[in-house]
Amino acid sequence: MPAFDMPLTDLERYRPDLQEPADFDEFWHDTLKEAAQPEALVSAHPVETGLRLTDTWDVTFRGFGGDPVRAWFSRPAGVRAPLPAVVEYAGYGRGRGLPHERLTWVNAGYAHLLMDNRGQGDQYGNGGATPDPYATAPGGPGPAVRGLLSPRDHHYRRLITDAVRAVAALRALPGVDASRIAAVGNSQGGGLALAVAGLVPDLAAALVTAPFLCGIRRALDLTDAGPYGEIAAYLCVHRGAERAAYDTLSYMEGIAFARRAHAPAHFGVGLRDKVCPPSGAYGAFNRYAELSGSAPRKEIHAYPFNGHEGGDAVQVRRQLDWLREVLGFEPRPA
């Protein structure tokens, strides 16, 4: 799998032009305003996981349209003090799975919320528990093309709204330092973390690896790998729908969210990534926070011989070190 996008020296200077909708901010303001009432958190019930060093709760919160969205909330067992917290977003086709699957952040001492992906969970992992009641909107069967012909109907309008509401739910959970919330994700999860950074002005940090939905138009020209390949396959059949599809996707563009972000940001990218081409991640990184009136700390790590795994465990270790420093967090024993 040779490198196929721009050379690294070009990526480091890449600042793509955007065909950004004039009502982008109004669209998302109105969408989130509709979802803001009532309070996000619905319930949190403790669950037995077989783990003795981690306490876990089965959480339900209100997402887009007030729909119930599931999540796992975990904390280091026996720690009573309020903790900085990480909200993690899963990859494309994956659900929240089982409560013991994602333990890195809670083992590092953080409170941790893993959001379920509505209408996903059937492609890999151990399933999900959140249906998408609007999945019959015109479009293809995969999440990337559900409701593709209208931004109001598109799957990612709902999923991004869920991701923002997950932050509000996490802040309402016990033992969470609401002023120190970080959004974390890889691939689709990275795209969601970036959207949250652009829509939640007081987010404490964003950690983004191999983000989906960044540089969408260019990615559709470069790769047939899914999920972009699902969009191309739909347009292959529905000839003439390109204008409507591109208009819809312009409201979901990760680079547009990145421009509006305020929080410190940590990026990772594999230069041989054919699923989410590296020019998308670099476009978001290079234009990050340019509209926010701030200059937050940001850094990006490139892995020349890695693909969509984007540095894998080496990148995670860098994230752990970086976030601890940014949040000023030194976990203490229980």
Side-chain angles (χ1 to χ4, degrees), residues 32-214:
L32 296 179
K33 183 178 179 180
E34 290 174 14
Q37 298 295 332
E39 294 298 319
L41 185 63
V42 174
S43 62
H45 302 294
V47 295
E48 174 56 49
T49 64
L51 303 176
R52 294 295 169 258
L53 302 181
T54 301
D55 293 331
T56 299
W57 291 260
D58 187 347
V59 167
T60 300
F61 67 91
R62 295 181 181 91
F64 176 88
D67 300 332
V69 179
R70 305 289 290 279
W72 296 122
F73 175 61
S74 298
R75 285 174 47 90
V79 177
R80 303 289 176 240
L83 294 172
V86 168
V87 56
E88 184 175 3
Y89 306 109
Y92 189 79
R94 184 173 190 139
R96 68 173 183 166
L98 299 173
H100 58 269
E101 286 187 60
R102 302 292 186 95
L103 298 175
T104 296
W105 292 105
V106 71
N107 276 338
Y110 297 90
H112 176 246
L113 186 78
L114 176 62
M115 186 187 87
D116 205 13
N117 288 322
R118 66 165 60 219
Q120 300 188 33
D122 298 323
Q123 293 189 21
Y124 71 108
N126 289 288
T130 304
D132 185 3
Y134 312 90
T136 57
V145 286
R146 290 178 192 158
L148 183 61
L149 302 185
S150 166
R152 292 191 61 82
D153 294 336
H154 195 235
H155 177 78
Y156 281 98
R157 179 180 180 231
R158 303 188 290 278
L159 195 61
I160 289 169
T161 302
D162 292 348
V164 171
R165 296 290 282 167
V167 175
L170 179 54
R171 285 178 165 154
L173 285 162
V176 169
D177 180 347
S179 68
R180 293 192 288 176
I181 304 290
V184 176
N186 299 348
S187 191
Q188 175 185 264
L192 292 176
L194 200 54
V196 168
L199 293 171
V200 179
D202 58 347
L203 193 72
L207 298 97
V208 176
T209 306
F212 180 46
L213 296 175
C214 289

Side-chain angles (χ1 to χ4, degrees), residues 21-34:
D23 65 341
F24 182 92
D25 293 311
E26 180 182 3
F27 175 86
W28 283 108
H29 175 271
D30 291 347
T31 295
L32 296 179
K33 183 178 179 180
E34 290 174 14

Side-chain angles (χ1 to χ4, degrees), residues 2-8 11-12 14 210-211 214-215 218-219 222 255 267-286 300 302-304 306-308:
F4 76 106
D5 206 334
M6 303 177 190
L8 180 57
L11 290 171
E12 290 173 340
Y14 181 56
C214 289
R218 177 174 170 81
L222 285 177
I255 298 174
F267 282 70
V269 58
L271 299 187
R272 300 181 180 225
D273 188 347
K274 290 190 175 181
V275 177
C276 296
S279 54
Y282 269 94
F285 177 79
N286 290 335
I300 188 167
Y303 300 90
N306 286 98
H308 193 53

